Amino acid sequence: MLRILHDTKIDFIKHWRTAIILTVAFVVLGLGSGVLTGWFSYSIEFTGGTLLQLEFKEAPDAARLRAAVDKAGIKGAEIQQFGSPTSYTIKAQDEASVAAQDAGAEGVSKTITDALTAELGAGSFEVADRMAVGPRVGSELRRGAIVAILISFLVTMAYLAIRFEWRFGVSAVIATAHDILATLAFIKLIDLEVSLTVIAAILTVVGYSLNDTIIIFDRVRENLRKKRKEPLYDTLNRSVNETLPRSVLTHGTTLAATMSLLIFGGEVIRPFAWVMSFGIFTGTFSSIFVASPILMWVEAKWPRENDVRGAAAPAKA
């Protein structure tokens, strides 16, 4: 059987200060850039509007498409090539288009297709997909996404309170909050559009990272019972090293799958693959360099009664 990184004795915990500096710098850089360049761009599901996916018989001139759409009164529409040279998406999210969509009819999409038919001729393209969302529906979806994230946090805290004692639970929740902030900073840095797919990816990252943290904390709890006189600093390092082979194999294979989706999956699945690929990295990082040092700090701040291990060994810079 293949055995990798067996019986390692790497001092992970001593790097906690470096980890904090890197994390804070990355989050400030990502979220801080929103002050200069504007905050997140949201998909039509959240803002309302019209999305058309068109398949042309011959590769069209994008400038000609834009001129036809503008001439039809749909201002500021986003026209992008989508996959092959003959596939395009047209998004209309300006206030007038959103307001028109709220009337209930698919008037905006009909206006666009009529304008393109007049410009390029009948039969020159087919509508492969269309989406029309009114502003009220978009607002409800945005509110629903926020509620989903909050509920996931509450369920997580309830689960941790039942499975672990509060010290472990607090550490895991802070590590999970770190993952969400780092992922949002990443989304902002690569200017990824926030859509339902991205929200689903964020929730998946939360579950993935939490599972990784729980596996390490399970080992910490086992080692605390076995080696009651060992300083917590050494117990944490021992636990991370003992789970290291499993972590490398699990994260490596999962990352290979998400990278495959990122490269070969196409535009529809690519946002999910971007967030998941980064989430695997930040989830692994937080389980080792955030959750464990925070647990050590909590144990030192609120020591257990009759703790024969004494206070945790001071962290080495």
Side-chain angles (χ1 to χ4, degrees):
M1 181 178 177
L2 176 64
R3 302 187 72 180
I4 61 171
L5 300 174
H6 177 64
D7 198 24
T8 57
K9 293 181 173 58
I10 303 171
D11 189 352
F12 290 100
I13 307 302
K14 77 172 183 180
H15 299 294
W16 68 273
R17 288 191 178 90
T18 304
I20 289 177
I21 293 172
L22 290 176
T23 292
V24 172
F26 183 79
V27 171
V28 169
L29 178 65
L31 299 183
S33 66
V35 178
L36 302 175
T37 62
W39 297 107
F40 299 99
S41 57
Y42 294 93
S43 69
I44 282 176
E45 295 107 317
F46 296 127
T47 62
T50 304
L51 169 66
L52 287 175
Q53 184 178 336
L54 304 176
E55 186 65 37
F56 293 88
K57 289 188 175 180
E58 297 180 359
D61 181 354
R64 192 178 173 189
L65 297 181
R66 184 174 302 282
V69 173
D70 286 347
K71 187 178 178 181
I74 309 297
K75 303 297 182 184
E78 182 180 327
I79 300 176
Q80 287 185 325
Q81 188 181 326
F82 183 82
S84 71
T86 58
S87 299
Y88 275 79
T89 60
I90 299 178
K91 297 179 185 179
Q93 292 176 273
D94 64 294
E95 291 184 6
S97 299
V98 172
Q101 201 57 65
D102 195 32
E106 295 189 351
V108 176
S109 62
K110 186 175 185 306
T111 300
I112 294 174
T113 53
D114 287 348
L116 295 179
T117 300
E119 179 67 24
L120 304 175
S124 58
F125 67 91
E126 293 181 353
V127 179
D129 193 14
R130 78 179 71 199
M131 178 189 297
V133 180
R136 285 175 295 185
V137 175
S139 176
E140 290 173 3
L141 286 173
R142 187 166 57 247
R143 187 165 53 250
I146 295 173
V147 170
I149 293 176
L150 292 177
I151 288 177
S152 72
F153 252 114
L154 292 176
V155 172
T156 297
M157 294 177 69
Y159 171 75
L160 291 169
I162 295 172
R163 180 161 179 171
F164 296 101
E165 58 182 296
W166 69 270
R167 292 174 175 82
F168 289 83
V170 168
S171 305
V173 168
I174 293 175
T176 305
H178 158 276
D179 295 332
I180 293 179
L181 284 175
T183 303
L184 291 175
F186 174 75
I187 290 171
K188 178 57 190 168
L189 283 175
I190 67 170
D191 197 24
L192 195 64
E193 186 178 72
V194 178
S195 63
L196 289 177
T197 301
V198 170
I199 295 296
I202 292 174
L203 293 175
T204 306
V205 167
V206 168
Y208 184 90
S209 173
L210 182 62
N211 182 64
D212 192 51
T213 303
I214 286 174
I215 288 173
I216 293 177
F217 278 2
D218 260 339
R219 187 58 60 92
V220 172
R221 188 171 53 176
E222 291 174 7
N223 286 332
L224 284 174
R225 292 170 181 165
K226 293 177 183 175
K227 301 179 180 297
R228 297 286 297 169
K229 294 184 179 179
E230 183 180 62
L232 182 59
Y233 183 95
D234 295 334
T235 301
L236 291 172
N237 263 327
R238 177 192 300 279
S239 303
V240 173
N241 277 283
E242 288 176 352
T243 56
L244 192 59
R246 172 262 172 204
S247 298
V248 170
L249 289 174
T250 302
H251 300 320
T253 53
T254 310
L255 184 62
T258 57
M259 291 299 292
S260 298
L261 289 175
L262 188 61
I263 297 171
F264 304 111
E267 295 295 333
V268 174
I269 201 67
R270 193 158 289 156
F272 183 88
W274 268 120
V275 175
M276 276 304 301
S277 297
F278 179 78
I280 292 170
F281 167 77
T282 190
T284 307
F285 179 88
S286 68
S287 298
I288 297 174
F289 296 108
V290 178
S292 296
I294 288 177
L295 176 60
M296 189 174 66
W297 178 79
V298 171
E299 292 276 2
K301 187 77 174 176
W302 293 277
R304 304 159 193 261
E305 293 183 0
N306 302 320
D307 187 354
V308 296
R309 292 175 296 105
K316 304 165 187 174

